Amino acid sequence: MKFDSTDSYIATSELKTAVNAAIALQRPLLIKGEPGTGKTMLAEEVAESLGKRLLQWNIKSTTKAQQGLYEYDAVSRLRDSQLGDEKVHDIGNYIVKGKLWEAFEADEQVVLLIDEIDKADIEFPNDLLQELDKMEFFVYETQKIVKAKQRPIVIITSNNEKELPDAFLRRCFFHYIRFPDPATMQQIVDVHFPKLKQELVSEALQMFFDLRDIPGLKKKPSTSELIDWLKLLNSDDIPEDVLRNRDSRSAIPPLYGALVKNEQDVQLLERLAFMTRR
């Protein structure tokens, strides 16, 4: 069982090695990288490549680790007791299973994605140490232990918004997705736009990487934003001559709203364009 690139996802040899090493070690795979480099998509493609079901747990700032295990719906039980409902006598009727429970009780091995773990409270990763390590947890309300039937393939993503605890890091296999070089980016573009004129792709990639190299840029455009930009260039039938402008290193790209995401960077590009014209 080996992960490889798919028809819609180009994985570098280092990334494929990391995924397969984590599977072999039965450790969670911790993936870091710039936003838009395909961290979330990786889990989807791993599941597709290996023919497994994907369970996705999207983490927010308010998410608690307990929610991944289960939640006890005491409010519903109180309401049912007031209404005289018979199911109130079985507390199990009020246990809401979380994504980890779903993964643990699956008859076949699944891929579990814990997406953007760094959005949660700093204690969130530590609160999952035991469960991810031993693949079991205790349900206090029913006094039962839930054990994984099949150890899931766990993929955890982080945008580096917060430092993760050392105890958590020790239990993971780590990989940082480096930003694709031009050759890899060409492969990624070809997967998404196999029929796009190569002259347009070549000029667009040159302008894209020139834009990323501008000093002082607050948010560099990502892979996903490049794909959106190329889609617009193609749909609007922008000729490659427009992108071939030799002042493109300083000028604002056409349809720049797909690439530049804040006013500070727009103002920076406007100043550079003005200085070039002078």
Side-chain angles (χ1 to χ4, degrees), residues 28-257:
L29 174 62
L30 175 60
I31 295 290
K32 291 187 179 183
E34 287 184 32
T37 50
K39 298 186 297 296
T40 301
M41 190 180 295
L42 171 65
E44 299 170 357
E45 298 302 326
V46 168
E48 180 182 338
S49 174
L50 302 180
K52 299 186 181 297
R53 183 162 63 98
L54 174 66
L55 295 177
Q56 189 164 338
W57 185 15
N58 297 307
I59 307 302
K60 302 178 181 179
S61 60
T62 55
T63 304
K64 302 299 180 185
Q66 181 65 32
Q67 294 172 304
L69 307 179
Y70 70 94
E71 291 184 275
Y72 170 49
D73 191 353
V75 174
S76 292
R77 192 181 189 203
L78 175 61
R79 183 191 62 233
D80 289 346
S81 67
Q82 293 170 338
L83 296 174
D85 196 319
E86 285 299 316
K87 73 176 185 178
V88 74
H89 300 296
D90 183 0
I91 197 171
N93 291 324
Y94 303 94
I95 301 294
V96 181
K97 298 176 182 179
K99 293 298 182 182
L100 264 75
W101 191 328
E102 288 184 43
F104 286 4
E105 74 173 3
D107 292 326
E108 297 182 351
Q109 187 182 48
V110 300
V111 176
L112 173 63
L113 170 63
I114 304 177
D115 201 21
E116 299 188 329
I117 194 172
D118 52 324
K119 281 187 176 180
D121 184 86
I122 188 62
E123 291 303 320
F124 180 93
N126 280 335
D127 291 342
L128 289 177
L129 287 180
Q130 181 85 356
E131 289 77 12
L132 291 177
D133 201 19
K134 295 193 173 182
M135 286 288 148
E136 65 179 44
F137 62 89
F138 185 69
V139 182
Y140 292 94
E141 288 78 7
T142 61
Q143 296 292 296
K144 293 181 180 179
I145 294 177
V146 176
K147 292 186 178 182
K149 295 180 181 178
Q150 301 284 341
R151 192 178 188 97
I153 298 170
V154 181
I155 298 177
I156 303 170
T157 70
S158 169
N159 287 325
N160 254 350
E161 292 182 9
K162 294 190 186 82
E163 288 295 326
L164 299 174
D166 288 346
F168 179 79
L169 295 175
R170 282 198 301 271
R171 289 166 169 81
C172 297
F173 189 93
F174 171 76
H175 182 74
Y176 182 85
I177 297 182
R178 293 184 177 86
F179 197 82
D181 59 26
T184 304
M185 190 65 81
Q186 177 77 54
Q187 289 181 286
I188 293 172
V189 170
D190 289 344
V191 163
H192 288 273
F193 303 104
K195 297 181 181 179
L196 202 59
K197 291 185 294 184
Q198 286 305 307
E199 295 84 357
L200 177 64
V201 172
S202 178
E203 295 298 333
L205 285 178
Q206 181 64 57
M207 180 171 280
F208 172 78
F209 280 102
D210 285 346
L211 181 60
R212 282 184 56 87
D213 287 340
I214 292 177
L217 206 63
K218 185 175 181 181
K219 184 197 175 302
K220 295 181 179 182
S222 67
T223 305
S224 61
E225 289 159 345
L226 170 64
I227 299 303
D228 288 343
W229 186 48
L230 282 170
K231 188 182 298 183
L232 286 174
L233 292 177
N234 187 46
S235 64
D236 284 11
D237 201 22
I238 301 292
E240 55 268 21
D241 290 344
V242 174
L243 304 181
R244 200 175 290 130
N245 180 355
R246 286 302 90 199
D247 292 333
S248 60
R249 293 172 185 258
S250 303
I252 299 179
L255 302 169
Y256 68 86

